Amino acid sequence: MGLCTTAAELQRHDRYDMSLFACLNYPDAAGADLDLISDWVCWWSVWNDLTDRPEFLHDPDRVTRFFSSLAAVVELSEREIDEEMPAQDNRFVVAFSDIWRRWRRGMSAEFVSRTGRNWVNWFNSYIVECHNRHAGASLDVDTYHQIRDFTGAVILELDAAERVGHYEVPPELLEIPPVRAMREITVRVINITQDVQSLPKEEEAGDQHNLVLVLERRHSLTRMQALREVHVMIRRWTDGFLAEEASVPRFLDQFEVPLARRRPVYKHIDNMRTLMKGGVEFCAASGRYVKL
């Protein structure tokens, strides 16, 4: 797809080892499914580096144009994209068009609609983050979480679990309180543990979109105090996950859910556990989160 155009970019991409992310987070995926996940995260890691480049970050119009062109893939045909999108962004648009086409394959219209909204929200969240960085905005904790819940792409990781697992959680069961709560907790745990592991790199780059830095700045905490606060948050979330998980059978019994419709719920819960574990292991092993 021509996403990496120089030897330095290829070396950096090799150092990130994004395919390891696919293996750790989707250990049961094989063949075309594993290729899809690997292609997605490799594509994402390349354009994500753009957001640290001053010539990109300090051009708000370019930021909006770039991410809007990606969001448009969800709604427009490839022919329309080729005619309308700026030539310099086409390599990313064409690559996403390929990923999006395979992402939808074999899934229901309801799933495609749901995951499509998640993709668009992800791209739009990067517009907000980049504009915040350009403006030097100072975020409070709640505002930070609202942005990070989307930029972290964990909702898409959960969608990917259904896609490569060849199952779909019935829409009404995604909304029962324990499942909804566990999905929200999974998002926070993965995002914030990553904040801790990527802290040196982001601090070096001047990126203030990190919970540790937000806590230090907004609450006048030392580095150790901020890290302890994050630890308390994550412990509270993981304890909450276990409590919500224990309540799932009772909710399913209450609504007299047949066994066949319960299976995808339990599979999804297992996937959440794998994603939380895989996220920690990948960040520790990948060169992506090391300050050079």
Side-chain angles (χ1 to χ4, degrees):
M1 293 291 182
L3 300 180
C4 292
T5 58
T6 68
E9 288 175 348
L10 286 169
Q11 290 172 357
R12 181 169 61 247
H13 189 65
D14 286 345
R15 187 177 77 248
Y16 290 174
D17 198 7
M18 297 304 296
S19 291
L20 178 64
F21 176 97
C23 295
L24 289 172
N25 286 280
Y26 304 92
D28 297 327
D33 293 328
L34 187 57
D35 288 342
L36 172 60
I37 297 299
S38 183
D39 288 349
W40 168 42
V41 296
C42 289
W43 162 82
W44 163 78
S45 74
V46 177
W47 65 250
N48 189 253
D49 283 340
L50 289 174
T51 61
D52 285 329
R53 296 180 184 177
E55 67 273 17
F56 182 85
L57 185 62
H58 298 310
D59 186 348
D61 289 340
R62 184 182 177 190
V63 168
T64 300
R65 191 166 60 248
F66 176 76
F67 288 110
S68 295
S69 72
L70 293 173
V73 174
V74 177
E75 299 173 350
L76 300 177
S77 70
E78 254 187 81
R79 181 184 59 80
E80 290 171 323
I81 291 168
D82 289 340
E83 291 177 357
E84 295 183 10
M85 297 308 162
Q88 66 269 25
D89 292 341
N90 260 2
R91 55 189 171 138
F92 296 102
V93 171
V94 171
F96 177 52
S97 297
D98 174 66
I99 291 167
W100 175 236
R101 182 167 50 249
R102 289 184 284 153
W103 191 277
R104 293 175 293 170
R105 187 173 298 159
M107 305 303 284
S108 71
E110 192 283 331
F111 174 87
V112 171
S113 177
R114 167 163 56 92
T115 195
R117 291 192 298 272
N118 292 336
W119 278 99
V120 170
N121 287 338
W122 186 40
F123 295 136
N124 288 339
S125 72
Y126 266 93
I127 295 175
V128 174
E129 180 182 280
C130 288
H131 286 196
N132 282 343
R133 291 181 66 183
H134 173 69
S138 178
L139 306 179
D140 58 35
V141 172
D142 288 340
T143 304
Y144 172 74
H145 278 310
Q146 290 170 13
I147 298 171
R148 187 72 169 111
D149 284 350
F150 290 105
T151 59
V154 179
I155 290 296
L156 288 172
E157 292 180 26
L158 291 167
D159 289 350
E162 292 180 83
R163 166 60 182 82
V164 302
H166 301 283
Y167 72 91
E168 295 183 27
V169 181
E172 70 275 13
L173 297 184
L174 277 177
E175 293 303 318
I176 65 172
V179 173
R180 186 172 65 248
M182 282 188 289
R183 283 167 58 88
E184 292 170 355
I185 289 168
T186 299
V187 168
R188 292 285 170 91
V189 168
I190 293 174
N191 285 338
I192 305 312
T193 54
Q194 185 186 75
D195 274 9
V196 173
Q197 290 173 292
S198 64
L199 177 60
K201 178 184 176 183
E202 290 171 352
E203 190 171 30
E204 179 75 10
D207 184 0
Q208 295 298 306
H209 287 75
N210 183 297
L211 183 58
V212 178
L213 299 177
V214 171
L215 288 170
E216 288 179 358
R217 185 175 60 251
R218 299 292 292 196
H219 297 282
S220 301
L221 302 181
T222 66
R223 177 60 49 85
M224 187 56 65
Q225 287 172 330
L227 288 169
R228 286 172 179 159
E229 182 66 21
V230 168
H231 174 80
V232 169
M233 290 180 184
I234 293 174
R235 177 62 65 196
R236 182 173 67 248
W237 291 328
T238 52
D239 286 348
F241 185 96
L242 296 174
E244 298 289 354
E245 183 180 17
S247 73
V248 169
R250 183 177 68 253
F251 272 89
L252 298 179
D253 287 345
Q254 178 182 342
F255 292 104
E256 299 181 344
V257 178
L259 180 60
R261 291 178 69 79
R262 296 185 187 210
R263 288 195 181 102
V265 174
Y266 288 120
K267 188 169 185 177
H268 203 53
I269 293 171
D270 184 58
N271 289 155
M272 292 184 220
R273 287 171 163 269
T274 299
L275 289 171
M276 286 188 279
K277 180 175 181 288
V280 172
E281 292 179 342
F282 173 72
C283 289
S286 170
R288 177 173 174 76
Y289 302 95
V290 177
K291 181 181 73 171
L292 297 179

